[in-house]
Amino acid sequence: MKPKVVIRGAWMALLKNKKRSFLTMIGIVIGIAAVSTIMSIGRGFERYVMDALNPEEGDLVTVDIAFQSEDPMWMLETNDELFTDRDLQSLERLSGVAEATRIEGNLQYTSLDTRVNGEERYVDITLTEESGRGVSVGRGLQLSDYTRSSRVAVIPHTLAEEMFLIPEESVGKGIRLGDELYTIIGVYEAAIDRTGLFSEFMLDEVEIPAASYNLYHTQGGTASEVRLTVQRGSLPSEVASEAVTYLEEEGSMRAMGSYEHWDMSMMTDGVSQVLNGITLFIASVAGISLFIAGIGVMNMMYISVSERTKEIGIRRALGASQKSIRLQFVLEGVMMTSIGGAFGYLLGLMFSAAAAILLPFSTGVDMVTVLVSLGISSLVGLIFSYAPANAAGKKEIIDII
């Protein structure tokens, strides 16, 4: 039988039972609308997140490479450059590298050892660049202390009591921080409750000018990271891998530790995979309605086969093969679900467009969503109409008569 005849016969059969065909399609329409809406919103959100993570148009991508020593204490105490000028010059000669610069940390907190009642103890240090916190005794740190790199400190009330018994008498006295002697100029009331279970693990927090720390304490003053600016057209991951390989073989600190890299592409790839997974999972849950709709299609097709037994017998008597009978019924199911899928996608497009009004990103039309919507709807028709179509094709003229 000619394909044109089969297609026309399937279409006429659907039109003959318009109401039943329409009611059967409703489940497909709802299922595809739900899947396409979720996928459109999911892909729109993915593009929104990717745009937020990626650099602005005109900017170059950067890659950060960090040095990690096998001995953490050595890193705190060393004054050696972890990335020398020779390292930077060699990195800039690598293919795909536009510029290599050290990343200087903006240190705000550190810790130093001191002596309290004859015992060594570490205290937390807050490094201040302008005026410090309010005090209950003496005065707080001022901008002039920072500009002059004065060796002055503001200590908590609890530490003042331990060291001098009477906090008011601590002002003007000295406190050793590391290898340097600082003058106490003020005492503040600590907001931390030190009467609790974990009070013994809480370190005292002393406030000193950041400039004083940078001048008198050189520990941790070296940059432990370098930033590579990637040339246009080069892959950040490949540039980073080549740079790490070079540093591990020729880097000035290769014998003291290891190098590892991080770039925005690693993060965006991971985020993209997570968002895709979430979108597909939610779409799969919404796809349960398609399974239910498929059961409805199968039920409708079985009823259609039962009602058209006489038609099947006549066609068989005129020479129609089992294959052509089966093909027509399968085509009816696929045609019905495909039409439902098209309407469902259009409905989903309307829903996603309405949702975009309330969301901070656009949903847009995407070819993948179109193909998935139409492909799933056609597949549902093929799977769930095959059994009824096969039953129709197996009917014999003798049995029908």
Side-chain angles (χ1 to χ4, degrees):
M1 189 178 290
K2 295 181 180 180
K4 183 178 180 181
V5 175
V6 176
I7 294 173
R8 185 173 182 278
W11 176 247
M12 294 304 294
L14 291 178
L15 291 180
K16 188 178 180 180
N17 298 284
K18 295 179 183 177
K19 290 184 179 180
R20 186 165 64 191
S21 299
F22 174 73
L23 293 173
T24 305
M25 279 194 293
I26 288 179
I28 299 294
V29 171
I30 293 174
I32 293 297
V35 171
S36 61
T37 301
I38 292 169
M39 290 192 66
S40 296
I41 293 176
R43 288 192 172 275
F45 181 65
E46 180 184 348
R47 289 193 295 268
Y48 175 73
V49 173
M50 294 300 104
D51 290 342
L53 292 176
N54 286 317
E56 297 291 336
E57 184 178 355
D59 292 345
L60 294 177
V61 178
T62 59
V63 175
D64 293 343
I65 298 178
F67 172 78
Q68 186 62 46
S69 173
E70 297 174 355
D71 182 2
M73 291 305 299
W74 175 84
M75 281 193 69
L76 289 174
E77 297 171 357
T78 186
N79 295 323
D80 297 335
E81 288 287 358
L82 302 180
F83 290 96
T84 63
D85 292 338
R86 173 179 164 273
D87 290 334
L88 298 182
Q89 293 169 4
S90 299
L91 288 172
E92 288 181 344
R93 286 195 289 268
L94 296 178
S95 175
V97 178
E99 184 183 14
T101 55
R102 298 184 188 90
I103 301 178
E104 301 293 346
N106 183 18
L107 198 61
Q108 295 180 326
Y109 303 96
T110 186
S111 61
L112 293 170
D113 64 300
T114 187
R115 182 174 291 275
V116 180
N117 298 328
E119 296 182 358
E120 290 290 333
R121 177 194 296 181
Y122 272 92
V123 292
D124 283 341
I125 305 294
T126 300
L127 305 180
T128 305
E129 295 186 356
E130 297 181 354
S131 50
R133 72 185 77 200
V135 297
S136 58
V137 179
R139 71 172 179 87
L141 292 178
Q142 300 173 355
L143 181 60
S144 58
D145 297 319
Y146 173 81
T147 55
R148 297 172 184 172
S149 301
S150 304
R151 281 186 292 182
V152 293
V154 173
I155 66 174
H157 190 275
T158 51
L159 183 61
E161 281 187 336
E162 286 188 73
M163 297 181 67
F164 305 104
L165 297 180
I166 302 175
E168 287 76 7
E169 295 182 359
S170 62
V171 176
K173 303 288 180 64
I175 179 173
R176 182 177 64 80
L177 299 174
D179 296 328
E180 301 296 329
L181 185 65
Y182 284 74
T183 300
I184 301 171
I185 60 172
V187 178
Y188 72 90
E189 293 285 349
I192 299 175
D193 180 11
R194 295 189 175 270
T195 61
L197 179 63
F198 301 102
S199 60
E200 59 181 300
F201 300 106
M202 296 180 181
L203 299 179
D204 297 294
E205 189 174 302
V206 177
E207 193 176 40
I208 65 174
S212 305
Y213 178 84
N214 295 331
L215 179 63
Y216 300 109
H217 306 272
T218 55
Q219 305 95 296
T222 57
S224 62
E225 293 185 32
V226 65
R227 176 163 293 166
L228 305 182
T229 302
V230 181
Q231 294 176 350
R232 298 189 188 281
S234 299
L235 291 175
S237 56
E238 292 182 0
V239 172
S241 297
E242 186 178 354
V244 169
T245 299
Y246 166 77
L247 290 170
E248 289 178 343
E249 294 176 354
E250 304 292 338
S252 57
M253 290 294 164
R254 61 186 182 278
M256 299 301 298
S258 59
Y259 298 89
E260 56 186 26
H261 77 276
W262 184 91
D263 63 88
M264 185 61 74
S265 65
M266 296 171 63
M267 181 175 181
T268 54
D269 287 346
V271 171
S272 179
Q273 291 177 5
V274 171
L275 292 177
N276 277 331
I278 293 174
T279 301
L280 290 176
F281 172 74
I282 298 175
S284 299
V285 173
I288 295 175
S289 61
L290 288 174
F291 177 78
I292 298 172
I295 299 297
V297 170
M298 181 183 288
N299 182 55
M300 182 254 189
M301 293 302 296
Y302 269 119
I303 294 173
S304 180
V305 170
S306 176
E307 290 178 347
R308 295 159 63 187
T309 301
K310 185 177 179 180
E311 176 191 334
I312 296 170
I314 294 172
R315 293 183 61 188
R316 289 300 308 276
L318 294 175
S321 64
Q322 290 185 356
K323 183 178 179 181
S324 63
I325 298 293
R326 185 187 306 117
L327 178 60
Q328 179 171 342
F329 279 93
V330 168
L331 192 57
E332 286 180 24
V334 172
M335 192 178 291
M336 180 171 54
T337 55
S338 297
I339 294 172
F343 279 107
Y345 175 74
L346 294 176
L347 187 61
L349 202 60
M350 293 171 57
F351 287 155
S352 58
I357 299 174
L358 304 175
L359 297 173
F361 55 86
S362 61
T363 53
V365 179
D366 147 316
M367 202 61 193
V368 174
T369 306
V370 176
L371 294 177
V372 168
S373 300
L374 298 180
I376 290 178
S377 58
S378 300
L379 188 62
V380 168
L382 178 63
I383 293 174
F384 288 94
S385 64
Y386 182 79
N390 192 47
K394 286 183 178 181
K395 287 184 179 293
E396 298 293 341
I397 299 176
I398 299 299
D399 298 331
I400 294 172
I401 294 174

